[in-house]
């Protein structure tokens, strides 16, 4: 079976999926992950019907780092007799000003993308390390980069400029937006779920460990809450979201933090983790009776409400609101708090539908349609990779 391998790399985990290619159709063949890399490495994978294909623990020295994890996962996949890999699609968070669509990766492309590592330090270095390892291990296997920034490249210029000297824009300092693979999938899926709504003005909230929101008009991104880096916009698991730049200057000068210490606070110690002092995981906060957890959740919902107003202004009104990603799909109590913040837009929640996790969770009397639509970034990556392989633009 010809197949596309999709890889999403993190510092301590490697997630992968294999999609079989059947003419022009992609079918998910298996999904897996290698987690707790360098601690308690464990390789798990399940087939299309949920059957366990592998569940194996490894010694730390066997999988000490991400390159070793890539080698192990690749070797296991090569042992599957029924799978012939045609290409590998990689989620790459930051494409910068040069990449507006998926591209086949060569050495110059890899060097260009490495320049954006400081702008996405939680994701870009691991993604590129994975690409390098795959290229070294199997030089003839095409590698394709699919960017989280690409879907937003059609924004009007007025939305993407900062009020800085023009030379900064020329250097690439501009608002890019992220989670584009997720928003692209939701835009396509919405055409199936609610075609009339899909042609209108829709706000999508990608709420996970990383969180952002996107304004869609007729399925196209026109504004996003994230900007130059994935620090902007909503509070996230460990990132603060929107922040007065003066706070950063204060940290660097008056508080005496250096650049690395400041980055550590902004990328790893803030957001829900910093607000609650308990956890970055929304599941732990929802389950906690600590008032600090409740405050962190309320702050999260409050900022979603504020950003909804901004995006509604960009759209000139809003017809629907879509929840997606881990928190958006699996936390009905958080959705209910957000819906309260959207009452000014005419949002009325159907509590039973929300608790049950149905696709449409707004009541019949609601002026604002509200949906829960699971995202599928991996499928988008597979589609883009196959299109590049066949000579298209993705």
């Amino acid at each position: 079976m010809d197949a596309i391998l999709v890889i999403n790399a993190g510092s301590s985990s490697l997630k992968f999926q294999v999609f079989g290619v059947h003419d022009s159709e992609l079918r998910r063949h298996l999904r897996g992950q290698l987690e707790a890399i360098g601690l308690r490495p464990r390789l798990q994978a399940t087939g299309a019907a949920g059957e366990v294909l592998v569940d194996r623990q490894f010694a730390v020295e066997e999988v000490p780092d991400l390159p070793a994890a890539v080698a192990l996962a690749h070797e296991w996949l090569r042992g599957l007799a029924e799978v012939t890999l045609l290409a590998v699609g990689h989620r790459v968070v930051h494409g910068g000003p040069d990449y507006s669509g998926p591209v086949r990766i060569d050495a110059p492309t890899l060097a260009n993308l490495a320049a954006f590592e400081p702008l996405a330090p939680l994701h870009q270095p691991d993604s590129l390390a994975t690409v390098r390892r795959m290229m070294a291990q199997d030089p003839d296997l095409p590698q394709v980069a699919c960017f989280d920034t690409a879907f937003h490249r059609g924004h009007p210029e007025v939305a993407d400029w900062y009020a800085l000297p023009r030379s900064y824009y020329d250097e690439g300092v501009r608002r890019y937006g992220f989670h584009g693979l997720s928003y692209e999938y939701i835009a396509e899926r919405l055409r199936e779920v609610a075609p009339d709504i899909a042609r209108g003005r829709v706000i999508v909230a990608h709420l996970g460990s990383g969180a952002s929101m996107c304004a869609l008009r007729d399925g196209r991104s026109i504004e996003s809450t994230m900007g130059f880096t994935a620090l902007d916009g909503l509070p996230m698991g460990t990132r603060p979201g929107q922040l007065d730049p003066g706070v950063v200057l204060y940290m660097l000068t008056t508080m005496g933090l250096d650049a690395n210490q400041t980055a550590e606070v902004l990328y790893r110690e803030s957001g829900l983790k910093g607000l609650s002092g308990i956890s970055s995981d929304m599941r732990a906060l929802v389950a906690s009776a600590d008032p600090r957890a409740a405050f962190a959740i309320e702050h999260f919902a409050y900022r979603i409400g504020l950003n909804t107003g901004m995006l509604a202004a960009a759209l000139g009104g809003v017809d629907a609101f879509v929840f997606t990603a881990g928190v958006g799909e699996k936390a009905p109590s958080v959705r209910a708090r957000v819906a309260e913040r959207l009452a000014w837009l005419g949002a009325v929640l159907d509590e039973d539908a929300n608790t049950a996790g149905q696709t449409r969770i707004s009541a019949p009397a609601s002026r604002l349609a509200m949906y829960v639509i699971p995202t599928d970034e991996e499928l988008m990556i597979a589609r883009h990779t196959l299109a590049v392989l066949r000579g298209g633009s993705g």
Side-chain angles (χ1 to χ4, degrees):
M1 177 187 68
D2 290 341
I4 300 293
L5 170 62
V6 172
I7 291 181
N8 191 346
S11 58
S12 62
S13 67
L14 180 75
K15 297 178 181 178
F16 56 90
Q17 295 193 24
V18 172
F19 291 83
V21 180
H22 305 271
D23 295 324
S24 296
E25 184 181 354
L26 289 164
R27 298 176 190 168
R28 189 176 276 103
H29 181 66
L30 66 84
R31 67 177 77 209
Q33 63 180 359
L34 216 167
E35 60 182 5
I37 297 168
L39 296 172
R40 297 177 300 279
R42 183 181 182 185
L43 175 64
Q44 298 173 291
T46 56
E51 71 277 18
V52 175
L53 301 177
V54 64
D55 189 348
R56 181 182 170 189
Q57 200 91 28
F58 293 86
V60 173
E61 57 269 20
E62 293 181 278
V63 195
D65 52 25
L66 183 60
V70 173
L72 175 64
H74 189 207
E75 191 63 29
W76 178 78
L77 288 165
R78 289 178 66 179
L80 299 177
E82 74 275 19
V83 173
T84 301
L85 294 182
L86 300 178
V88 183
H90 300 264
R91 178 192 176 213
V92 178
V93 167
H94 215 305
D98 298 328
Y99 299 102
S100 58
V103 294
R104 184 163 174 171
I105 306 171
D106 54 17
T109 302
L110 200 54
N112 289 342
L113 295 175
F116 305 119
E117 289 187 0
L119 306 186
L122 293 184
H123 305 94
Q124 197 92 342
D126 294 325
S127 297
L128 300 188
T130 301
V131 173
R132 292 187 189 98
R133 179 69 189 198
M134 291 293 294
M135 291 176 73
Q137 194 163 335
D138 199 340
D140 296 325
L141 184 63
Q143 313 287 320
V144 176
C146 302
F147 303 104
D148 260 340
T149 50
F151 184 63
H152 304 293
R153 289 299 303 276
H155 286 181
E157 279 195 331
V158 69
D160 285 350
W161 279 65
Y162 288 111
L164 292 168
R166 286 177 172 265
S167 58
Y168 283 79
Y169 184 87
D170 295 336
E171 288 293 321
V173 180
R174 62 190 72 173
R175 298 184 70 248
Y176 291 100
F178 297 88
H179 293 134
L181 292 163
S182 175
Y183 294 128
E184 185 177 9
Y185 176 81
I186 295 299
E188 292 190 5
R189 184 77 179 98
L190 198 57
R191 294 189 185 102
E192 302 171 5
V193 171
D196 291 341
I197 291 291
R199 290 190 287 269
R201 302 163 299 180
V202 179
I203 294 174
V204 184
H206 177 105
L207 307 179
S209 178
S212 71
M213 297 167 67
C214 177
L216 300 177
R217 181 186 290 125
D218 194 19
R220 297 173 60 88
S221 171
I222 68 160
E223 182 58 274
S224 171
T225 57
M226 281 184 169
F228 181 56
T229 70
L231 282 173
D232 201 5
L234 302 179
M236 296 165 245
T238 61
R239 286 170 272 171
Q242 184 181 6
L243 193 68
D244 181 342
V247 174
V248 179
L249 296 176
Y250 185 82
M251 294 166 72
L252 291 169
T253 56
T254 305
M255 295 182 71
L257 276 65
D258 63 25
N260 289 334
Q261 291 169 321
T262 301
E264 181 71 14
V265 172
L266 296 179
Y267 278 101
R268 302 183 188 277
E269 301 297 331
S270 300
L272 297 176
K273 179 182 179 181
L275 284 169
S276 69
I278 297 171
S279 176
S280 63
D281 191 325
M282 183 63 80
R283 292 168 295 186
L285 299 182
V286 169
S288 175
D290 193 311
R292 297 176 300 168
F295 177 77
I297 297 171
E298 187 61 26
H299 181 86
F300 185 66
Y302 173 71
R303 300 304 300 187
I304 292 171
L306 285 182
N307 280 273
T308 298
M310 177 190 76
L311 296 179
L315 288 166
V318 57
D319 303 307
F321 191 99
V322 177
F323 294 90
T324 194
V327 176
E329 295 169 23
K330 299 174 183 177
S333 64
V334 176
R335 293 196 298 263
R337 285 175 180 254
V338 172
E340 290 176 5
R341 297 284 180 181
L342 305 183
W344 66 280
L345 288 168
V348 180
L349 185 68
D350 182 327
E351 295 182 5
D352 292 338
N354 181 49
T355 301
Q358 295 181 11
T359 300
R360 182 160 182 157
I361 60 171
S362 51
S366 181
R367 297 199 310 274
L368 179 70
M370 291 184 289
Y371 296 89
V372 179
I373 301 179
T375 192
D376 197 337
E377 294 161 295
E378 290 79 12
L379 179 57
M380 289 308 308
I381 293 170
R383 288 174 178 171
H384 286 314
T385 301
L386 183 60
V388 169
L389 197 63
R390 291 177 170 176
S393 61

